[in-house]
Amino acid sequence: MTETQGTSLGPLGIVAGSGALPRRLIESCRAAGREVFVLALAGEADRTTVDGVPHAWCRIGAAARGFDLLRANAVTELVLAGAVRRPSLSALRPDWRAAKFFARVGYRALGDDGLLSAVIKELEREGFRVVGVDKLLEADALLPAGPLGQFRPDAQAAADIEHGLRLARAIGALDIGQAVVVQQGLVLGVEAIEGTDGLLRRCARLRRAGPGGVLVKTAKPAQEQRVDRPTIGAHTVSLAAGAGLRGIAAEAGATLILDRAEVIRAADEAGLFVVGVSG
Amino acid sequence: MTETQGTSLGPLGIVAGSGALPRRLIESCRAAGREVFVLALAGEADRTTVDGVPHAWCRIGAAARGFDLLRANAVTELVLAGAVRRPSLSALRPDWRAAKFFARVGYRALGDDGLLSAVIKELEREGFRVVGVDKLLEADALLPAGPLGQFRPDAQAAADIEHGLRLARAIGALDIGQAVVVQQGLVLGVEAIEGTDGLLRRCARLRRAGPGGVLVKTAKPAQEQRVDRPTIGAHTVSLAAGAGLRGIAAEAGATLILDRAEVIRAADEAGLFVVGVSG
């Protein structure tokens, strides 16, 4: 039997977390004529994500029900899209299938970056093919190297970006978060479980006098590339502007841009730079 | 000439930042019959810190005026007490003396842990003897190893403390902050410029279901021991309780307890543990 492509694969299974990425992916699939079935994670995915789309809601801890739903809908290819706040063990209430998984990887993995890789391995063990969201979006969905809009970092901002990159990588290696905000060498904030939006809102109250800071976002070094990629949207630009920042730097070739045209428009209007950086 | 002790040294110079520590130190000196002169840092020290105490207010960037004030008040021995939010360069507005200092250490040092060591070297170069605040407080001012009140961490809390210690040390080594909050292996928050109070307030909204988290506080590895020691007071206990935490762990022998009896009473009342940890 030869491998088949396109719709003959059955609908693409989208396990949807929070944010705009899952809906963006659904639109991309529709434009490409690919059917989808969305497994919307309760408490994470937005209601609007699944508007007019075949879907079911599922608790994160209800793994057995999740597998049943995917199979009942003929899903063989799967993508994880959107953010998922890690639940505490108490909030997770694992069913027998999730408990079996945790018996293997250990409950302590809940706080561990290895958890995502283990989840993907488990999905593959169940026979699903797991693909990265960037493989399913348009080619321009990844942030390229260099400035995206009309503004560029000056020397002070470039120094803050360099410092922020070093810190964001270290924070990522510790499995704490993906982002930091640096202003004139001072670390205004570090992202942990609150996410980038929460970080930016808080930094609005922490800014110092003088030239504003930068948001620096990187992929975690150990990050499973098929899930939880750093993501930037027009919403990020608007929160960054509200926090008095001068721009956003994120890892080129690894960061998803939710809507490039909108991000550029928002950045140019607000006078912010958005720049893809590497190394 | 032999070295003289006690009041013959002249008044103790206290460079006062924010928080309750400077006032606590003033009371200790009074109880010991030692005169003080307080150089209160504008925008940092509380007004109540200097009530009824010989003092002058001084901008952080006004180094020349600061040195003049200390000398005019016959200060030869100096202690730095209380927190100081690092200013941005724009907010600092350095006078000629501060500018001379930065010309030597570099403006980039503003974001660097080495800054504090450089400040102390500069004070010594000017002829002041700089002592650690713990040398001037009662012997019980340092957190001892083990639990302080009647509560102790259980196995889950002990695991969170261990994880938190590893992260807090790493965060400290990066010169980001001194504290983290961990709940069931999840990093709820990392302290940066907002300080421990800000971290605890934010974590109240980030807590997950189930057993609460712990605040873990350590001295930065590279930290100049004479300034900016981690500090815990009854206020910290009350904010930790408000954030749903189950306790506080801090570095034994390195953390200052603002008022041991009050901290113990607050912790016992709230059902929180306060524990000194090491290694």
Side-chain angles (χ1 to χ4, degrees), chain A residues 137-153:
Chain A
L137 295 172
E138 293 76 8
D140 71 352
L142 284 177
L143 179 67
L148 210 56
Q150 68 185 81
F151 294 97
R152 285 154 190 267

Side-chain angles (χ1 to χ4, degrees), chain A residues 191-211:
Chain A
E191 179 197 63
I193 215 163
E194 78 279 20
T196 304
D197 291 3
L199 169 69
L200 289 172
R201 285 198 188 94
R202 161 170 113 239
C203 285
R205 296 185 304 273
L206 297 169
R207 68 168 300 194
R208 297 290 182 263

Side-chain angles (χ1 to χ4, degrees), chain A residues 85-90 108 110-111 159 170-171 174 176 184-190 192-194 202 206 208-211, chain B residues 85-90 108 110-111 159 170-171 174 176 184-190 192-194 202 206 208-211:
Chain A
R85 289 166 303 174
R86 293 194 187 182
S88 64
L89 179 53
S90 323
R108 289 196 53 137
L110 263 182
I171 295 299
L174 294 164
I176 291 174
Q184 298 173 58
L186 307 173
V187 185
L188 296 194
V190 170
I193 215 163
E194 78 279 20
R202 161 170 113 239
L206 297 169
R208 297 290 182 263
Chain B
R85 289 166 301 173
R86 296 195 185 181
S88 64
L89 180 54
S90 321
R108 288 198 54 139
L110 261 183
I171 296 300
L174 294 164
I176 292 174
Q184 299 174 57
L186 307 173
V187 185
L188 297 193
V190 170
I193 215 163
E194 78 280 20
R202 159 171 115 237
L206 296 170
R208 297 293 183 262

Side-chain angles (χ1 to χ4, degrees), chain B residues 211-224:
Chain B
V214 297
L215 168 70
V216 181
K217 243 184 135 160
T218 62
K220 293 180 187 170
Q223 199 160 48
E224 164 59 60

Side-chain angles (χ1 to χ4, degrees), chain A residues 32 142 156 179 269:
Chain A
L142 284 177
Q156 173 67 64
E269 264 181 35

